[in-house]
Amino acid sequence: MERFGYVRAATISEALTFLNQPGYKNRPLAGSTDLVLLLRRNPDLCDRVVDISLIPEMHTIEKTGNDVIIGASASFSEIISNPIIRETGPILVEACKTVGATQIRNMGTIGGNVANAAACADSLPALVCLDAMARVLTPSEEFNWTVSELVISPNKTRIPAGGLLVSLRYTIPPSGTRGVFLKLGRRNAMAISRLTVAALGRLDENGRIADARFVTGSAAPQICRFKDVETSLLGQVPTPALMLAAGKLATEEMIRLSGYRWSSEYKVPALAAMTSRALSRVFQVREPSGEVV
Amino acid sequence: MTDRQFIGKPTNRVDALEKVMGTARYTADYYLPGMLISRCLRSKVPHARIISIDTSEARQIPGVHAVITCDDFIDHGRFGFPIVDMYMLAYQRVRYVGDPIAAVAAENEESLQAALKAIKVELEPLPGLFDPRQALSPDAPLVGEKPRDAEGYPHGNLLIDYIVRQNDPDAVWKECDLVLDKEYTTMHQEHAYIETEASLAVPWPKSSGVTVYACCQSPFLAKNNIIQTVGLGSEDVRVIQPYVGGAFGGKDDTMYQTIAQTAKLALISGRPVKMVFSREESMISSYKRDAMIMHYKIGAKKDGTLMACQFHGIVDSGAYAAITPFTAWRSTIHAMGPYRYQACSVDTDVVYTNNGFAGAFRGFGNTEVCFASELAVDEIAYRLNMDPIDLRLKNCLRPGDTTSHGQKLGDDVALAECLQQVRKLSDWDRKRKEFEQGDPARIHPGELRKGIGVAAVFHGMSLGAEGKDSAVGTLRINDDNTLTLTSGLTDYGSGSRTVFTLIAAETLGINPSRIHMLRPDTDTAIDSGPTVASRATVLGGNATQVTAMRLDAILLNAAADLFHCQIVDILRDGENYIGPNEEPASFDKVVDHARQMGLTLSTEGRWNAPENHWSFESGTGKPYFAYHFGAQVAEVLVDTGTGKVEVTGYWGVHNTGTVIFPQGILGQLYGGITQGLGYALMERVDFDKGFIQATNFDEYIIPTAMDVPEIVGAFVEKPFSDGPYGAKNIAEPSLVPAAPAIINAIFHATGRRIQNLPANLERVLIGKDLRKEGSNTACKLGLHQV
Ligand SMILES: Cc1cc2nc3c(=O)[nH]c(=O)nc-3n(C[C@H](O)[C@H](O)[C@H](O)COP(=O)(O)OP(=O)(O)OC[C@H]3O[C@@H](n4cnc5c(N)ncnc54)[C@H](O)[C@@H]3O)c2cc1C
């Protein structure tokens, strides 16, 4: 293990001061569950960590008007047990539940997950599905990006050096919205996602699809909503055939975004199956397996 | 049948508290004043000739106290058993990525790293051999040491070959209604012991000798290796085994190297020297379960009678022999599975490659062949429209049968009982009907399908004809009337200290809490061979019983003297001795009286396993003195949309003879099945041009608690006449049938038979493996990580 300095910030402004203090190569440290591994691989990453995990204002989870704001230092466990998110964004709760294991969920933060921006980060598809916004501060500026704008490519974000992701914010979806998050890994805990899908939707009073949002993780270099899939659903009456077709569209969109790769021969059928399963559950139609869920 | 006080009764492990409280100390936990740390410089190429090694600069670095190479050992540190082809540090060639070249002892991490960087090694790259199928081709690069044309060696890369012969299968095929002809492959598996390799060597004054604390399969082998390669007398070396954090067969050769290296470094520097592997170093440099390519041809009659079996196996031993010759011999003996055949022929070739190196791993060669043969037999059952358990019952070895090796079995055989019990326990018949058999052509993608599968196992007990097989235990009554028990066998966490304690307590009729069992120490325990081959309970247990019986006889004599009666007139009531006048004397009183009589209250007991014999020329004999039998059933839920397999239920019934320590035996069963589940579904050591791809547990995945279903275990306690209180073994056979049971269940669910392990997402969904292009970065990085 390499040596590095450590300071703990008590407030957001103190964190920003530390992060921009000359003479150091600073790096925010939240739950450290990614950073320790990064440092092990690359000891030159930083020479001082700025601990932001104990800043009270970065742990708050609150409802303001029709929006929910989540402090970036909220741990997965805090999110999973938070009544506001459980009620207004259960898809995010489901996603956070699949992260690592209890110890990782206690330490790991949503801000760290977004800022680290791994292709397999499990909160990302749910956040993008919720159209979440990220608030980033530097000593002189404030940025508000959607999460899919913030993440440029795997492990690359728009957060400027010395900047801090302070919170995430989503607008509460209209009532009647249902969300489903599915994760596929090689084992049932402590698993790096091979594929994730997040789907959110709502029917209108005529039983037609009024809202459809669909995102997959670990499938494309930049996490984004799959517009072709969504368009194919809007205004339609949900049927098993429609869900199957959407699954096929999702795979086409994945190949268009990421190209045909070593894993595509597997990921194409797997994504098709996961997509139609997730959408079937959102719109409550019979799954291809014949099981009603 | 019994009025036993302790055996078979629930109890705590003798070391439970220390482990739970964190007070149990492992080798890495020891810190001594003046202690140096040490590490090896390891090869970053799979195969090369060593032109020169220059350590002069490294020696000059402040804080560096010793730098050694193979030249610091006698005969370049040549060692190995049964084939001597390894060195304590590489000599003339490096043969795999991770091969140790030089070792440094230094005061701190900075000096150590600087010295490792300063060692100049000039290497001439040699072509690597990575495909075991090509190992014996005339133009394959030579990895073995024997020249290609050496006498008696058909090829320099052929480490050894074995056969079994019984009649001629070729004469029987025409009598068969069905002949199955298939190839199966298994991958290397990592032991994943929680404690990485660790050794601490402490020199005696003036470096006259050395004491080593280290985790290993046998402290006695470690000691002998030091004697031979470092050149000390037997009385100048002591090896002590602290608590060990798991081994699973993995702490043999790599550890003997590490132990000898630290011993030499300590003797040169005159300071205690500790070496602890990082996880990466452990994964890269330690040996694995061998990978195997297996070709089976099995013939059967329409009624399910198995007729003939022909097997050809190629074992990838990697760069060195290590224990693989024994592993492969066990594969050879077990290749037919626990069934009767009219004819069989088995041929196993063990070859060198530059894919790391392979050695002992729980299951020891049987894991590989059991996987393949249980898939083959299962397929025959399905093809003949027979219930897989029925087919096994029809052909399985029974008491008094003769095996394909020509060995007549005793009445301890209980495979049929295991199969019948596991059938009931798992509700097999109902589920077989309820989970409709999968047909790939008719499955809707995304369907969740259930399946159930079975596998049977037999596993030769202890070392068999591999070598001399005996164990020794000692007992001593201390001044405070507590007892000290020793065995030369190690408890890696498997529970043998508890088993031996219970056996001694039962035999002596005293409370187990009086007995303290030491961990092996070459100065206090007596060589009992290595703790391998699931031999501890039977070998060590018998030795414990013998020594306890001797001590019991001494105490009975004392009691008879005390009561002025005959020994036969004495009864026991708990710890008390009761004489003819019905007045009880406490254990303490009898012991005191024995002391007054001048009796020596310490005993030694040896138990020799019954004779075995094996003819390597004719491929017949009596390879093991007895066998363990068992049957396991797995229930799975397969997601046909993603290929994800969930093991949803598991049942194991084993012919263990008398159960001595109930929680211990269940622990072994659960652990073995879990390790087998990993082998079946997820574990894979990939070598890419000799570079291992996963160097830590982020990429090398093993099952978590969330992946393991509730396991239901039951034991057929048919007493085994050669076992202590009728006990057999369990450690390895619990693992062996798990993979085939799971894979057979996947077939039942999907109609897809996966012949190559592991049955990962890709193989289950699309029927083939996909691999990212390999690289050498993880490996190279891993060798730098601390
Ligand atoms: C065993 C294990 C299992 C895991 N399993 C999963 C899993 O199943 N799913 C999953 O998605 N992830 C998983 N992870 C990865 C990791 O736990 C998550 O990505 C977690 O969210 C990281 O958060 P953290 O608070 O620990 O971040 P840290 O490690 O503290 O930081 C991560 C990176 O983000 C930066 N950073 C942190 N907070 C901010 C901020 N507010 N503003 C700007 N930059 C910031 C840090 O400088 C660093 O570069 C696992 C990790 C481990 C070790």
Side-chain angles (χ1 to χ4, degrees):
Chain A
M1 182 51 63
E2 299 302 318
R3 291 168 191 279
F4 50 82
Y6 171 93
V7 276
R8 182 194 293 166
T11 63
I12 290 176
S13 67
E14 195 182 13
L16 287 169
T17 307
F18 283 142
L19 284 169
N20 293 279
Q21 200 171 352
Y24 294 101
K25 210 167 158 188
N26 291 299
R27 189 97 183 181
L29 170 109
S32 78
T33 59
D34 276 323
L35 194 58
V36 168
L37 277 70
L38 292 174
L39 275 169
R40 193 151 185 251
R41 298 228 147 182
N42 176 11
D44 301 327
L45 195 68
C46 66
D47 57 22
R48 188 172 76 167
V49 297
V50 178
D51 187 349
I52 55 163
S53 67
L54 296 169
I55 299 175
E57 41 185 328
M58 284 182 72
H59 279 271
T60 46
I61 297 173
E62 59 185 6
K63 206 158 127 182
T64 53
N66 209 23
D67 282 5
V68 172
I69 300 172
I70 306 170
S73 291
S75 70
F76 294 114
S77 297
E78 283 170 329
I79 291 172
I80 291 166
S81 60
N82 183 275
I84 300 171
I85 304 178
R86 290 171 81 96
E87 193 195 320
T88 63
I91 191 168
L92 182 60
V93 171
E94 289 312 309
C96 292
K97 277 187 188 166
T98 70
V99 172
T102 310
Q103 297 95 319
I104 296 294
R105 292 194 291 270
N106 286 344
M107 291 301 293
T109 64
I110 189 146
N113 203 229
V114 173
N116 188 58
C120 57
D122 287 318
S123 72
L124 287 180
L127 287 169
V128 172
C129 221
L130 287 165
D131 284 331
M133 300 291 294
R135 180 163 174 252
V136 174
L137 294 183
T138 70
S140 55
E141 279 179 292
E142 167 171 347
F143 303 96
N144 283 281
W145 289 299
T146 65
V147 169
S148 68
E149 281 169 341
L150 180 86
V151 178
I152 303 166
S153 60
N155 299 112
K156 228 174 140 191
T157 69
R158 286 180 204 279
I159 302 172
L164 188 65
L165 168 63
V166 292
S167 62
L168 295 147
R169 176 192 194 110
Y170 64 85
T171 302
I172 300 171
S175 71
T177 303
R178 208 186 312 274
V180 167
F181 178 86
L182 300 176
K183 166 167 170 170
L184 173 69
R186 293 195 187 275
R187 63 180 172 190
N188 294 337
M190 296 294 223
I192 299 168
S193 290
R194 296 293 296 138
L195 276 174
T196 47
V197 299
L200 207 71
R202 181 170 50 86
L203 300 176
D204 65 16
E205 56 281 8
N206 303 320
R208 291 182 182 275
I209 296 173
D211 186 14
R213 304 185 216 168
F214 180 81
V215 185
T216 88
S218 301
Q222 190 180 16
I223 183 124
C224 60
R225 286 171 54 179
F226 277 27
K227 290 291 176 193
D228 288 0
V229 174
E230 297 177 356
T231 315
S232 77
L233 298 167
L234 286 173
Q236 305 289 318
V237 174
T239 61
L242 189 69
M243 303 302 136
L244 272 178
K248 186 150 182 298
L249 281 175
T251 66
E252 285 163 10
E253 213 154 340
M254 172 178 72
I255 298 295
R256 199 166 59 241
L257 290 168
S258 63
Y260 200 85
R261 311 173 51 165
W262 68 272
S263 55
S264 300
E265 190 177 350
Y266 167 76
K267 282 195 172 178
V268 164
L271 179 61
M274 287 173 73
T275 303
S276 46
R277 177 175 299 159
L279 291 170
S280 302
R281 290 184 189 174
V282 167
F283 298 113
Q284 299 200 288
V285 299
R286 242 168 21 90
E287 280 186 47
S289 61
E291 287 173 39
V292 191
V293 177
Chain B
M1 67 184 167
T2 58
D3 42 1
R4 286 184 187 143
Q5 296 188 67
F6 307 113
I7 283 179
K9 304 285 190 309
T11 183
N12 285 336
R13 296 172 66 106
V14 296
D15 51 7
L17 259 175
E18 285 158 279
K19 287 189 170 169
V20 172
M21 307 280 288
T23 55
R25 289 210 300 167
Y26 296 81
T27 304
D29 298 328
Y30 288 75
Y31 290 89
L32 295 176
M35 189 178 84
L36 305 175
I37 54 172
S38 63
R39 193 166 308 132
C40 285
L41 177 73
R42 295 180 180 276
S43 173
K44 294 193 183 68
V45 296
H47 199 192
R49 189 176 313 289
I50 300 172
I51 308 291
S52 65
I53 307 172
D54 179 0
T55 59
S56 54
E57 206 173 296
R59 286 171 206 272
Q60 301 310 313
I61 290 171
V64 171
H65 287 255
V67 183
I68 55 171
T69 67
C70 65
D71 293 337
D72 292 287
F73 293 94
I74 292 169
D75 196 15
H76 309 288
R78 202 167 153 79
F79 80 106
F81 182 74
I83 289 177
V84 187
D85 67 351
M86 258 182 115
Y87 299 87
M88 292 306 174
L89 289 162
Y91 172 59
Q92 290 186 335
R93 269 193 299 156
V94 287
R95 303 200 216 168
Y96 78 102
V97 178
D99 218 349
I101 299 169
V104 177
E107 275 174 22
N108 52 49
E109 192 57 45
E110 288 71 36
S111 311
L112 183 60
Q113 290 199 17
L116 289 168
K117 276 202 194 94
I119 298 172
K120 294 198 194 75
V121 184
E122 199 186 334
L123 295 175
E124 175 200 323
L126 293 170
L129 170 60
F130 308 114
D131 181 357
R133 291 176 206 259
Q134 299 303 319
L136 302 183
S137 79
D139 53 353
L142 202 59
V143 183
E145 291 188 333
K146 290 268 194 307
R148 226 175 291 257
D149 48 7
E151 205 187 330
Y153 267 74
H155 195 294
N157 288 333
L158 180 66
L159 216 150
I160 200 159
D161 54 349
Y162 299 109
I163 58 164
V164 177
R165 292 284 183 270
Q166 178 204 8
N167 301 325
D168 179 12
D170 284 334
V172 181
W173 304 126
K174 57 183 181 304
E175 292 172 46
C176 301
D177 298 309
L178 171 70
V179 177
L180 187 85
D181 197 337
K182 290 250 161 157
E183 187 182 284
Y184 305 87
T185 63
T186 59
M187 288 204 98
H188 295 92
Q189 187 180 18
E190 159 67 28
H191 302 80
Y193 24 73
I194 197 162
E195 178 203 26
T196 59
E197 292 75 0
S199 173
L200 167 62
V202 185
W204 298 354
K206 300 200 186 98
S207 289
S208 58
V210 66
T211 299
V212 184
Y213 300 81
C215 51
C216 61
Q217 306 285 148
S218 165
F220 297 94
L221 268 179
K223 175 176 167 167
N224 287 341
N225 280 321
I226 295 176
I227 291 170
Q228 275 163 29
T229 62
V230 178
L232 292 173
S234 173
E235 64 286 356
D236 304 328
V237 183
R238 178 174 185 185
V239 179
I240 297 172
Q241 180 98 282
Y243 273 107
V244 180
F248 310 112
K251 288 181 174 166
D252 254 320
D253 312 69
T254 314
M255 272 317 302
Y256 303 141
Q257 276 183 329
T258 308
I259 288 168
Q261 290 157 5
T262 49
K264 187 73 208 181
L265 290 167
L267 291 170
I268 292 177
S269 64
R271 304 261 291 257
V273 173
K274 182 155 89 174
M275 190 183 291
V276 180
F277 286 23
S278 69
R279 180 59 65 183
E280 284 82 0
E281 184 176 17
S282 172
M283 298 267 279
I284 294 167
S285 61
S286 72
Y287 59 86
K288 310 287 177 243
R289 186 195 295 291
D290 58 68
M292 239 177 129
I293 301 161
M294 293 165 279
H295 192 118
Y296 271 97
K297 191 169 168 186
I298 297 181
K301 289 267 202 209
K302 260 208 286 287
D303 69 355
T305 308
L306 296 175
M307 299 290 287
C309 173
Q310 194 178 61
F311 169 90
H312 179 236
I314 302 174
V315 178
D316 183 356
S317 183
Y320 295 102
I323 298 288
T324 307
F326 287 151
T327 318
W329 181 68
R330 191 176 276 269
S331 297
T332 307
I333 301 301
H334 291 78
M336 290 81 61
Y339 305 109
R340 287 181 306 262
Y341 286 100
Q342 292 184 7
C344 78
S345 72
V346 176
D347 288 273
T348 308
D349 293 334
V350 188
V351 300
Y352 284 113
T353 67
N354 299 108
N355 295 328
F357 75 119
F361 194 139
R362 188 180 197 176
F364 208 74
N366 193 13
T367 317
E368 298 85 322
V369 295
C370 179
F371 159 71
S373 71
E374 283 300 298
L375 256 65
V377 165
D378 211 66
E379 183 162 353
I380 289 172
Y382 275 91
R383 292 241 208 129
L384 295 174
N385 254 323
M386 268 182 86
D387 179 286
I389 290 185
D390 287 342
L391 181 114
R392 286 173 173 84
L393 279 169
K394 192 177 178 81
N395 294 284
C396 74
L397 292 170
R398 292 177 187 256
D401 276 354
T402 301
T403 68
S404 296
H405 328 97
Q407 175 172 2
K408 195 162 160 51
L409 295 173
D411 59 5
D412 58 303
V413 178
L415 180 53
E417 287 94 320
C418 291
L419 282 162
Q420 276 149 354
Q421 271 200 37
V422 83
R423 170 177 229 153
K424 256 207 220 107
L425 267 185
S426 63
D427 203 3
W428 171 270
D429 293 308
R430 183 181 66 75
K431 288 176 182 166
R432 281 263 308 160
K433 273 195 218 102
E434 194 182 302
F435 312 158
E436 196 191 321
Q437 204 212 306
D439 173 357
R442 297 216 327 253
I443 291 173
H444 302 288
E447 239 181 283
L448 300 177
R449 296 198 56 94
K450 284 184 170 177
I452 190 161
V454 66
V457 62
F458 79 140
H459 195 82
M461 218 174 278
S462 198
L463 303 176
E466 279 171 29
K468 188 172 124 303
D469 211 3
S470 70
V472 182
T474 70
L475 265 169
R476 186 181 70 227
I477 304 182
N478 304 311
D479 291 345
D480 60 356
N481 293 356
T482 61
L483 282 82
T484 300
L485 171 65
T486 77
S487 165
L489 299 176
T490 301
D491 186 342
Y492 307 118
S494 43
S496 55
R497 283 175 76 202
T498 308
V499 167
F500 298 162
T501 302
L502 294 176
I503 289 174
E506 188 74 51
T507 310
L508 287 162
I510 58 169
N511 203 304
S513 62
R514 272 193 196 268
I515 301 171
H516 177 67
M517 170 135 199
L518 299 178
R519 285 180 297 278
D521 172 340
T522 54
D523 270 15
T524 60
I526 295 168
D527 191 358
S528 298
T531 309
V532 299
S534 311
R535 64 194 282 275
T537 296
V538 174
L539 273 287
N542 272 323
T544 304
Q545 195 180 357
V546 172
T547 191
M549 281 162 66
R550 296 210 167 129
L551 189 59
D552 187 45
I554 294 171
L555 294 174
L556 280 170
N557 251 318
D561 191 68
L562 184 71
F563 296 137
H564 305 291
C565 70
Q566 302 289 313
I567 286 177
V568 290
D569 296 330
I570 297 171
L571 296 175
R572 296 293 299 275
D573 177 24
E575 288 198 338
N576 289 338
Y577 291 76
I578 299 171
N581 60 0
E582 299 194 0
E583 194 171 312
S586 68
F587 178 76
D588 295 322
K589 191 164 176 196
V590 172
V591 170
D592 282 344
H593 187 74
R595 285 201 188 99
Q596 278 162 25
M597 289 169 71
L599 298 175
T600 304
L601 297 180
S602 94
T603 54
E604 179 181 316
R606 174 181 293 273
W607 191 76
N608 295 315
E611 284 297 311
N612 310 302
H613 55 89
W614 183 252
S615 159
F616 291 90
E617 293 71 36
S618 71
T620 58
K622 181 186 172 195
Y624 297 95
F625 65 88
Y627 298 84
H628 170 113
F629 295 86
Q632 297 182 355
V633 166
E635 183 189 297
V636 298
L637 182 69
V638 182
D639 181 344
T640 64
T642 61
K644 183 89 201 310
V645 175
E646 193 84 39
V647 182
T648 49
Y650 210 96
W651 300 264
V653 179
H654 287 259
N655 167 209
T656 55
T658 307
V659 170
I660 290 179
F661 173 32
Q663 291 103 317
I665 204 166
L666 283 169
Q668 286 294 305
L669 186 77
Y670 301 155
I673 289 167
T674 302
Q675 224 163 11
L677 186 151
Y679 190 54
L681 298 178
M682 57 187 89
E683 295 188 35
R684 59 185 305 161
V685 175
D686 276 305
F687 287 101
D688 190 272
K689 300 187 190 70
F691 290 88
I692 195 168
Q693 298 299 296
T695 59
N696 207 327
F697 296 133
D698 52 346
E699 304 222 324
Y700 186 84
I701 56 173
I702 59 176
T704 69
M706 301 295 287
D707 299 286
V708 183
E710 188 182 331
I711 296 169
V712 180
F715 304 101
V716 177
E717 295 196 56
K718 202 170 179 180
F720 170 51
S721 56
D722 279 325
Y725 291 95
K728 280 188 177 177
N729 54 356
I730 179 75
E732 293 175 279
S734 61
L735 181 156
V736 173
I742 292 168
I743 306 296
N744 288 339
I746 296 175
F747 173 80
H748 184 227
T750 64
R752 198 165 235 166
R753 207 169 280 282
I754 294 164
Q755 290 165 217
N756 315 94
L757 286 184
N760 56 11
L761 298 172
E762 291 81 358
R763 285 194 171 113
V764 176
L765 184 65
I766 60 172
K768 67 175 190 188
D769 191 30
L770 299 176
R771 258 181 72 174
K772 189 161 56 177
E773 206 186 324
S775 82
N776 58 22
T777 44
C779 220
K780 289 195 167 164
L781 199 68
L783 289 172
H784 286 299
Q785 262 157 359
V786 184

